[in-house]
Amino acid sequence: MTAPTLDDLTLGKGSHTTRDQGVCFMEAVAWYANEQHTDQPACVAYPLRSFGIALNDRLPEDKRQLLKPLIFDVIGTAGDGLDEQRWKLLRSWVTRKALPEWLELAKLDDLAAKARAAVDLSDEDLDVALYEIRDLTWKARNERWAPWREQFKAAFAERIRGQVVEQLRKANMPVAAVAAVAAAAAD
Protein backbone atom coordinates (compact mmCIF):
# COMPACT_ATOMS: atom_id res chain seq x y z
CA MET A 1 0.00 0.00 0.00
CA THR A 2 1.49 3.33 -1.09
CA ALA A 3 1.44 6.24 1.35
CA PRO A 4 -1.05 8.95 0.38
CA THR A 5 -0.14 12.59 -0.09
CA LEU A 6 -0.21 14.61 3.10
CA ASP A 7 -3.35 16.36 1.86
CA ASP A 8 -5.11 12.98 1.57
CA LEU A 9 -3.85 11.72 4.94
CA THR A 10 -5.99 11.94 8.06
CA LEU A 11 -4.28 11.30 11.36
CA GLY A 12 -6.39 9.34 13.83
CA LYS A 13 -6.29 9.02 17.58
CA GLY A 14 -4.62 5.96 19.11
CA SER A 15 -2.83 3.11 17.42
CA HIS A 16 -4.33 0.96 14.68
CA THR A 17 -3.93 -2.70 13.84
CA THR A 18 -3.61 -2.05 10.10
CA ARG A 19 -3.23 0.99 7.87
CA ASP A 20 -6.67 0.27 6.43
CA GLN A 21 -8.06 1.17 9.86
CA GLY A 22 -6.21 4.49 9.85
CA VAL A 23 -2.92 5.82 11.15
CA CYS A 24 -1.75 7.97 14.02
CA PHE A 25 1.18 10.36 13.70
CA MET A 26 3.87 7.75 14.42
CA GLU A 27 2.19 5.13 12.24
CA ALA A 28 2.21 7.68 9.42
CA VAL A 29 5.93 8.28 10.05
CA ALA A 30 6.59 4.53 9.76
CA TRP A 31 4.57 4.44 6.52
CA TYR A 32 6.45 7.33 4.89
CA ALA A 33 9.78 5.87 6.09
CA ASN A 34 8.89 2.55 4.43
CA GLU A 35 8.84 0.70 7.74
CA GLN A 36 6.35 -1.97 8.77
CA HIS A 37 3.09 -0.71 10.28
CA THR A 38 3.89 0.36 13.85
CA ASP A 39 3.50 3.30 16.19
CA GLN A 40 7.13 2.77 17.29
CA PRO A 41 9.11 3.50 14.10
CA ALA A 42 12.80 2.68 14.45
CA CYS A 43 13.78 5.76 12.46
CA VAL A 44 12.53 8.22 15.13
CA ALA A 45 14.44 9.25 18.27
CA TYR A 46 12.75 7.97 21.41
CA PRO A 47 11.97 11.42 22.93
CA LEU A 48 10.31 12.54 19.72
CA ARG A 49 8.44 9.25 19.38
CA SER A 50 7.22 9.38 22.98
CA PHE A 51 6.15 13.01 22.74
CA GLY A 52 4.62 12.48 19.29
CA ILE A 53 2.40 9.66 20.53
CA ALA A 54 1.23 11.65 23.54
CA LEU A 55 0.59 14.76 21.47
CA ASN A 56 -1.27 12.83 18.76
CA ASP A 57 -3.59 11.21 21.28
CA ARG A 58 -4.33 14.37 23.24
CA LEU A 59 -4.97 16.81 20.42
CA PRO A 60 -8.49 17.30 19.09
CA GLU A 61 -9.12 15.99 15.57
CA ASP A 62 -8.55 19.29 13.75
CA LYS A 63 -5.35 20.19 15.65
CA ARG A 64 -3.96 16.65 15.21
CA GLN A 65 -3.83 17.26 11.44
CA LEU A 66 -1.28 20.04 12.07
CA LEU A 67 1.25 17.29 12.87
CA LYS A 68 1.33 16.05 9.25
CA PRO A 69 4.10 18.41 8.04
CA LEU A 70 6.31 17.18 10.91
CA ILE A 71 6.28 13.60 9.62
CA PHE A 72 9.34 14.15 7.44
CA ASP A 73 11.12 16.16 10.16
CA VAL A 74 11.26 13.24 12.60
CA ILE A 75 12.32 10.56 10.11
CA GLY A 76 16.02 9.75 10.57
CA THR A 77 16.37 11.25 14.04
CA ALA A 78 17.07 7.94 15.81
CA GLY A 79 20.70 7.54 16.85
CA ASP A 80 21.75 11.07 15.93
CA GLY A 81 23.09 11.80 19.43
CA LEU A 82 20.65 14.61 20.20
CA ASP A 83 18.30 12.81 22.59
CA GLU A 84 19.64 14.51 25.73
CA GLN A 85 19.03 17.96 24.20
CA ARG A 86 15.56 16.84 23.07
CA TRP A 87 14.64 15.69 26.59
CA LYS A 88 15.82 19.04 28.01
CA LEU A 89 13.82 20.95 25.42
CA LEU A 90 10.69 18.88 26.02
CA ARG A 91 11.05 19.19 29.76
CA SER A 92 11.52 22.94 29.49
CA TRP A 93 8.43 23.28 27.30
CA VAL A 94 6.31 21.15 29.62
CA THR A 95 7.50 23.07 32.66
CA ARG A 96 7.36 26.56 31.20
CA LYS A 97 4.31 26.32 28.95
CA ALA A 98 2.09 23.26 29.25
CA LEU A 99 2.09 22.67 33.01
CA PRO A 100 1.37 26.29 34.07
CA GLU A 101 -1.45 26.57 31.52
CA TRP A 102 -2.96 23.31 32.70
CA LEU A 103 -2.73 24.40 36.33
CA GLU A 104 -4.39 27.74 35.49
CA LEU A 105 -7.23 25.92 33.72
CA ALA A 106 -7.64 23.89 36.90
CA LYS A 107 -7.82 27.20 38.84
CA LEU A 108 -4.58 26.36 40.65
CA ASP A 109 -2.91 29.71 39.99
CA ASP A 110 -0.53 29.44 42.95
CA LEU A 111 0.82 26.16 41.57
CA ALA A 112 1.05 27.65 38.07
CA ALA A 113 3.25 30.41 39.47
CA LYS A 114 5.47 27.80 41.15
CA ALA A 115 5.76 25.88 37.87
CA ARG A 116 6.81 29.03 36.02
CA ALA A 117 9.34 29.85 38.72
CA ALA A 118 10.88 26.38 38.38
CA VAL A 119 12.10 27.10 34.84
CA ASP A 120 15.53 28.30 35.95
CA LEU A 121 16.14 25.55 38.49
CA SER A 122 18.77 22.85 38.14
CA ASP A 123 17.53 19.42 37.08
CA GLU A 124 17.56 18.16 40.68
CA ASP A 125 15.77 21.25 42.04
CA LEU A 126 13.30 21.11 39.18
CA ASP A 127 12.50 17.48 40.05
CA VAL A 128 11.84 18.52 43.65
CA ALA A 129 9.61 21.40 42.51
CA LEU A 130 7.66 19.22 40.08
CA TYR A 131 7.07 16.56 42.73
CA GLU A 132 5.87 19.27 45.11
CA ILE A 133 3.52 20.60 42.45
CA ARG A 134 2.29 17.06 41.79
CA ASP A 135 1.62 16.47 45.47
CA LEU A 136 -0.18 19.81 45.88
CA THR A 137 -2.23 19.14 42.76
CA TRP A 138 -3.32 15.73 44.06
CA LYS A 139 -4.15 17.28 47.43
CA ALA A 140 -6.28 19.98 45.75
CA ARG A 141 -7.97 17.35 43.60
CA ASN A 142 -8.76 15.17 46.59
CA GLU A 143 -10.12 18.16 48.52
CA ARG A 144 -12.38 19.14 45.61
CA TRP A 145 -13.69 15.60 45.18
CA ALA A 146 -14.14 14.85 48.91
CA PRO A 147 -17.76 16.09 49.14
CA TRP A 148 -18.73 14.18 46.01
CA ARG A 149 -16.95 11.08 47.23
CA GLU A 150 -18.84 11.20 50.55
CA GLN A 151 -22.17 11.69 48.76
CA PHE A 152 -21.44 8.75 46.51
CA LYS A 153 -20.43 6.54 49.42
CA ALA A 154 -23.60 7.47 51.33
CA ALA A 155 -25.84 6.84 48.30
CA PHE A 156 -24.10 3.54 47.59
CA ALA A 157 -24.40 2.42 51.21
CA GLU A 158 -28.10 3.33 51.23
CA ARG A 159 -28.71 1.38 48.04
CA ILE A 160 -26.83 -1.68 49.33
CA ARG A 161 -28.63 -1.46 52.66
CA GLY A 162 -31.97 -1.33 50.85
CA GLN A 163 -31.11 -4.33 48.69
CA VAL A 164 -29.91 -6.37 51.67
CA VAL A 165 -32.99 -5.52 53.74
CA GLU A 166 -35.29 -6.45 50.86
CA GLN A 167 -33.53 -9.80 50.36
CA LEU A 168 -33.70 -10.59 54.09
CA ARG A 169 -37.38 -9.70 54.28
CA LYS A 170 -38.09 -11.95 51.31
CA ALA A 171 -36.31 -14.72 53.22
CA ASN A 172 -38.64 -14.06 56.24
CA MET A 173 -35.73 -13.10 58.53
CA PRO A 174 -36.62 -11.65 61.96
CA VAL A 175 -36.72 -7.82 62.13
CA ALA A 176 -33.77 -7.68 64.55
CA ALA A 177 -31.61 -9.76 62.18
CA VAL A 178 -32.63 -7.56 59.25
CA ALA A 179 -31.68 -4.43 61.20
CA ALA A 180 -28.32 -5.89 62.29
CA VAL A 181 -27.41 -7.00 58.77
CA ALA A 182 -28.53 -3.66 57.31
CA ALA A 183 -26.29 -1.80 59.77
CA ALA A 184 -23.35 -4.07 58.91
CA ALA A 185 -23.97 -3.60 55.19
CA ALA A 186 -23.96 0.17 55.61
CA ASP A 187 -20.56 -0.05 57.29
Side-chain angles (χ1 to χ4, degrees), residues 2-3 19 21 28 31 48-49 56 59 63 68 76 79 95 109 119 126 130 132 136 138 145 150 157 165 169 171:
T2 305
R19 289 179 177 148
Q21 295 175 342
W31 197 356
L48 297 176
R49 191 169 61 217
N56 178 87
L59 287 173
K63 300 290 187 203
K68 292 189 295 189
T95 305
D109 295 334
V119 171
L126 180 57
L130 290 175
E132 179 183 335
L136 290 170
W138 274 103
W145 280 100
E150 292 307 314
V165 168
R169 285 197 175 133

Side-chain angles (χ1 to χ4, degrees), residues 86-158:
R86 288 184 179 108
W87 281 124
K88 285 181 180 181
L89 181 64
L90 289 171
R91 186 176 177 159
S92 174
W93 177 82
V94 166
T95 305
R96 187 179 327 156
K97 183 82 172 133
L99 180 62
E101 288 181 12
W102 178 84
L103 290 169
E104 286 168 354
L105 286 173
K107 307 278 190 255
L108 300 171
D109 295 334
D110 55 332
L111 296 179
K114 284 186 177 187
R116 283 198 174 84
V119 171
D120 295 329
L121 297 177
S122 69
D123 285 348
E124 186 176 318
D125 289 340
L126 180 57
D127 283 342
V128 170
L130 290 175
Y131 279 117
E132 179 183 335
I133 290 166
R134 181 205 59 190
D135 293 345
L136 290 170
T137 302
W138 274 103
K139 181 180 176 191
R141 175 193 170 276
N142 287 335
E143 288 171 358
R144 286 186 181 165
W145 280 100
W148 294 97
R149 196 170 19 261
E150 292 307 314
Q151 287 179 8
F152 173 78
K153 285 167 66 175
F156 183 73
E158 185 61 34

Side-chain angles (χ1 to χ4, degrees), residues 21 36 58 61 174 179:
Q21 295 175 342
Q36 294 293 318
R58 285 166 179 79
E61 183 72 22

